[in-house]
Amino acid sequence: MNSIEHADLIAIDWGTSHLRAYLCQYRQDNSLRLLATSYARGVTKVTHGFEQELFNCIAPWQAHYQHLPIIMAGQIGSSIGWQETTYLPCPISPNMVAQSCLHFTCRDQQLSIVPGLHCSHENNHRDVMRGEELQVLGWLAQDQAHQQGQHLICLPGTHTKWVLVDDGQVKLFKTAMTGELYDLLSHHSVLIQDAHGEFCPHAFASGAQYTLASALGSFIHGLFSARSKQLFKELAPEHATSYLSGMLIGSDVRAAINATEWSFEQLNSVSIIGNNTLSQRFSEVLTMQQIATTRYDVEAITLAGFASVYQQLLVGSPSSV
Amino acid sequence: MNSIEHADLIAIDWGTSHLRAYLCQYRQDNSLRLLATSYARGVTKVTHGFEQELFNCIAPWQAHYQHLPIIMAGQIGSSIGWQETTYLPCPISPNMVAQSCLHFTCRDQQLSIVPGLHCSHENNHRDVMRGEELQVLGWLAQDQAHQQGQHLICLPGTHTKWVLVDDGQVKLFKTAMTGELYDLLSHHSVLIQDAHGEFCPHAFASGAQYTLASALGSFIHGLFSARSKQLFKELAPEHATSYLSGMLIGSDVRAAINATEWSFEQLNSVSIIGNNTLSQRFSEVLTMQQIATTRYDVEAITLAGFASVYQQLLVGSPSSV
């Protein structure tokens, strides 16, 4: 960090497992320039309180910059976090999300937490999101073309989120527990003997094809093939996680294709925001189904999301930030 | 145990978690009369070798009866068991299963292990069974009517098996990891905070209805509702396992209904063989779909299976048993 650089805010992406802190400069084009990054423990791993965890993490920056506004997003705003924020109902505009931030003061600092989102599906079931809304805001702010028409964003992770954007609003979204199931089945089930085998593209494609092509609801009946294939030497034990990953992502993508909430025929390419490995795998499976994809760097999109929130806070109540 | 009673064999149901030993008398009507029961550790829990585990378990009986034939079934015949038996291809008759037992001698005792079964599905995927084949044999021997026409047997457990029987033969079967998924998701996922909450019939039915009625492949997209319902106070945390159980069994039953390998319209009532709790739950969900069920006591059916194997061994090579 160059101490003579001007800084405007500290952005905190504080999830279950990790805290990622970004020291940022706000630019006239409504983007953030990243000056420095710092890491600390996630919400479920903090042992001596959120306040201490945060201020330890950003102490060097505070020594230079004193009272920078701090904007936080993620599980830190959940019922197990520092201050609980609401789940705002969809459809919703990015401005409304930013304007609904929870503000509080701690150690003479102004802190804001971005709220989560919820939506209702046709079957009256509700879905929730906390953390990913920031990336959606960032994606919307990235390109003027994202503000018009319908777009589908896929955010793979522990819980995949499929987000439908309509004329610049977050219309609705669906959650799939794909990553969590992968983790559970890799480490605790009879399917996998070697949870750290090397990735095998062939086994991955084979798993994806199985669930993409499978009959009605047969995921729960098909999963066991990861074991029977090993018993009959059709799948090497060290490639079983690749096959499982393919099955799970195939099932997730198939459900997205069959979702009644949107139609791929009326959408352009699916925007994928996530880590490189997962984004690549989702992209491959969507491509197997002749669906075009565009990938975005998750950190750049996250910073764009913070920029969008910061801009609204500036507009909304300049004195508070 | 009354030491003056005549005994003919020791039947051993030796699975992953438990060893159940039955001292039996063979009767003219080809049934077994249970004289005594003994328990020991399952295949994955044996610490000082299978031989010692078995002979410790049956030592009191041996003191009285000396050289009784011992018939074993279950994971004891798998690659992690004592002696590995094959997976016999379906369709197969009960006689062929019994005649394909693996025989060996240990401590001057004649031991036999019942082999497993495998089958191929339309999509060229294979499925395997080890242990449940004994119950299928027992079910077939229970009633002359079971020998004719098509019947579907459901064996709920860690891995549900759906077995299609056709004119007295085991035609094919499908495995669903329902019980294992329930266990993993109850103890290791974000869905459940209280893994030991009391059973709630309403939450169970609600979960089952969700997956029974759900659109194409939406299991992986619907699972998260177990969490969002709790967040919105639509589901009490202590009833979340009931809801999850309903979702999983609903998904399993839905897949069975949509299976291309059989048609419920051409089947009579589904025979359910399993523990009381699980059997009751599967029966309820099938009944919700207007499918009749008949429940069988799992221990009685298991003993009938051992009787069927013992009879064949007597016929096949009387000198060896």
Side-chain angles (χ1 to χ4, degrees), chain A residues 204-206 208-209 212 283-291:
Chain A
F204 175 77
S206 162
Q209 275 150 7
L212 284 170
S283 180
E284 272 177 37
V285 175
L286 283 159
T287 305
M288 284 163 75
Q289 298 299 100
Q290 284 78 50
I291 296 165

Side-chain angles (χ1 to χ4, degrees), chain A residues 19-37:
Chain A
L19 181 167
R20 293 180 185 84
Y22 305 105
L23 177 69
C24 303
Q25 191 180 89
Y26 181 71
R27 292 187 289 205
Q28 288 305 316
D29 64 353
N30 190 31
S31 70
L32 294 182
R33 181 170 162 233
L34 183 60
L35 303 177
T37 308

